């Protein structure tokens, strides 16, 4: 037998052994608690989505899924930690547009590559921002806002949750798409931005719909548009940016589940099935819909393709905004 054939046989045997080991691991998986890292502080929309998914997946898999909030540097701290974790299926990450699409361009060295360092499990859904204004602001539609901003260049301020956040980049995206100039006012979170907006200290802001919805319903704020391609169930009478005249505008924030790269495919498949079953359950549907999240399940391949496209899109918007963090 030639040396080449012997080498081929050895490699084939090793590959077969690896597949057998992966299959055995998947059959016994999970054998202990799973940690789901949410790379943001408790209380936000990411925690609401993550905890809803964690509880149901734990129930379906028969092992507890423990939520671990690890905030810092726009979510990149917790995301990097998962990228460096053992690929055994016991440490997962709540993937998010802010960390997998915006962070890699916003930070000089986020410490991970969204395409190479993770094994996508599946999409969860998306949640749009809302463009809201103080009732005293003269514009009652996006068209009126654009006309006002053009007549008053560099005099219209907008608030965001902070420099480089999704709400900030969305504002820059809007200004670029509408051909207007806006002045960015960064805050330390959505709450402080909305507080100043409610007080009339700034005229407009981009805010998550669950945060703005109560104030819009109470007449304390006026919603001009939502940033998704379809209307929100929480604000059904508010048009999308596309309906308001900005062709192709989509600034939805997407959630998904990922594991460290190298996690065995049978484990990924098992987690994908549990995720899709969780998203199909009435209790998870209710929690996510109440949070303004549109459920969009899919395969691991679907999510991998989406991560690639979403990062390309947002990286262009980040570069156009001129924002960069250390």
């Amino acid at each position: 037998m030639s040396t080449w054939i012997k080498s081929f046989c050895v490699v084939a045997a090793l590959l077969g052994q690896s597949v057998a080991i992966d299959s055995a691991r998947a059959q016994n998986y999970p054998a202990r608690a799973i940690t789901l890292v949410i790379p943001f502080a408790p209380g936000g929309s990411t925690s609401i989505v993550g905890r809803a998914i964690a509880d149901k997946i734990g129930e379906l898999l028969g092992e507890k899924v423990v939520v671990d909030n690890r905030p810092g540097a726009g979510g990149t701290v917790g995301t990097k930690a998962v990228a460096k974790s053992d690929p055994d299926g016991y440490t997962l990450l709540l993937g998010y547009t802010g960390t997998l699409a915006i962070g890699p361009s916003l930070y000089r060295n986020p410490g991970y590559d969204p395409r190479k360092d993770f094994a996508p499990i599946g999409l969860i859904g998306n949640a749009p921002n809302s463009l809201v204004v103080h009732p005293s602001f003269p514009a009652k539609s996006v068209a009126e806002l654009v006309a006002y901003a053009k007549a008053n260049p560099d005099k219209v301020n907008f608030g965001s949750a902070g420099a480089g956040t999704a709400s900030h980049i969305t504002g820059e995206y809007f200004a670029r798409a509408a051909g207007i100039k806006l002045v960015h006012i960064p805050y330390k979170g959505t709450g402080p931005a909305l507080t100043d907006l409610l007080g009339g200290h700034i005229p407009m802001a981009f805010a998550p719909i669950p945060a703005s919805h109560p104030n819009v319903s109470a007449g304390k704020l006026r919603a001009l548009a939502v940033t998704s391609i379809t209307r929100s169930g929480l604000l059904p009478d508010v048009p999308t940016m596309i309906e308001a005249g900005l062709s192709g505008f989509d600034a939805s924030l997407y959630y998904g589940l990922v594991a460290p790269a190298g996690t065995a495919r049978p484990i990924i498949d098992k987690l994908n099935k549990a995720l899709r079953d969780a998203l199909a359950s009435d209790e998870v549907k209710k929690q996510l819909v109440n949070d303004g999240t549109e459920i969009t399940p899919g395969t691991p391949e679907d999510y991998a393709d989406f991560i690639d496209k979403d990062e390309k899109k947002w990286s262009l918007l980040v570069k156009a905004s001129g924002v960069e963090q250390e």
Side-chain angles (χ1 to χ4, degrees):
M1 184 181 294
S2 70
T3 302
W4 182 87
I5 294 177
K6 288 181 180 178
S7 298
F8 176 81
C9 290
V10 170
V11 171
L14 290 173
L15 287 173
Q17 186 178 36
S18 177
V19 171
I21 292 173
D22 286 347
S23 297
R25 284 177 179 170
Q27 287 178 0
N28 297 322
Y29 174 86
R32 54 186 170 86
I34 299 167
T35 296
L36 173 61
V37 174
I38 298 176
F40 296 95
S45 60
T46 50
S47 286
I48 293 172
V49 172
R51 289 182 182 278
I53 291 299
D55 291 344
K56 191 61 181 180
I57 287 180
E59 178 186 320
L60 292 168
L61 292 177
E63 288 286 352
K64 188 173 180 62
V65 177
V66 180
V67 170
D68 180 6
N69 288 92
R70 295 194 206 177
T76 60
V77 171
T79 303
K80 179 181 177 180
V82 175
K84 307 302 179 186
S85 298
D86 290 336
D88 55 9
Y90 289 98
T91 303
L92 309 178
L93 172 73
L94 183 74
Y96 179 59
T97 292
T99 51
L100 299 184
I102 296 176
S105 295
L106 180 65
Y107 293 91
R108 291 183 181 180
N109 183 22
Y112 58 87
D113 184 310
R115 297 175 180 83
K116 297 178 181 179
D117 291 335
F118 300 102
I121 295 167
L123 269 167
I124 294 171
N126 73 85
N129 271 314
S130 58
L131 168 54
V132 286
V133 300
H134 189 269
S136 65
F137 192 60
K140 293 181 171 56
S141 67
V142 170
E144 290 181 7
L145 169 57
V146 171
Y148 183 86
K150 286 182 176 179
N152 299 274
D154 294 319
K155 293 184 180 179
V156 180
N157 300 335
F158 79 94
S160 80
T165 60
S167 56
H168 171 208
I169 304 303
T170 297
E172 301 290 355
Y173 178 18
F174 168 66
R176 185 182 179 196
I180 58 177
K181 292 183 179 181
L182 300 173
V183 179
H184 175 229
I185 307 296
Y187 290 85
K188 293 182 178 179
T190 297
L194 286 180
T195 296
D196 260 16
L197 178 61
L198 288 165
H201 302 297
I202 54 174
M204 61 178 281
F206 286 88
I209 288 177
S212 65
H213 172 249
N215 293 305
V216 172
S217 298
K220 296 178 181 179
L221 294 177
R222 184 163 61 242
L224 301 188
V226 295
T227 64
S228 53
I229 59 175
T230 58
R231 294 196 181 198
S232 166
L234 291 182
L235 296 172
D237 297 327
V238 178
T240 66
M241 286 287 193
I242 296 173
E243 290 175 321
L246 298 181
S247 178
F249 194 103
D250 179 15
S252 294
L253 307 177
Y254 286 83
Y255 309 98
L257 278 188
V258 298
T263 302
R265 181 59 194 237
I267 290 178
I268 294 295
D269 288 340
K270 198 166 191 176
L271 287 166
N272 177 264
K273 183 181 186 306
L275 174 60
R276 295 174 80 160
D277 288 346
L279 293 174
S281 68
D282 290 338
E283 57 265 49
V284 172
K285 280 182 179 179
K286 183 177 180 180
Q287 289 181 69
L288 297 189
V289 169
N290 286 343
D291 185 52
T293 301
E294 179 186 350
I295 298 171
T296 56
T299 66
E301 287 76 21
D302 291 335
Y303 192 24
D305 183 57
F306 179 81
I307 289 172
D308 178 58
K309 292 178 179 177
D310 205 35
E311 194 280 331
K312 287 177 180 175
K313 167 187 158 183
W314 284 95
S315 66
L316 292 174
L317 296 173
V318 169
K319 290 173 184 175
S321 74
V323 178
E324 185 178 66
Q325 304 291 321
E326 293 294 334

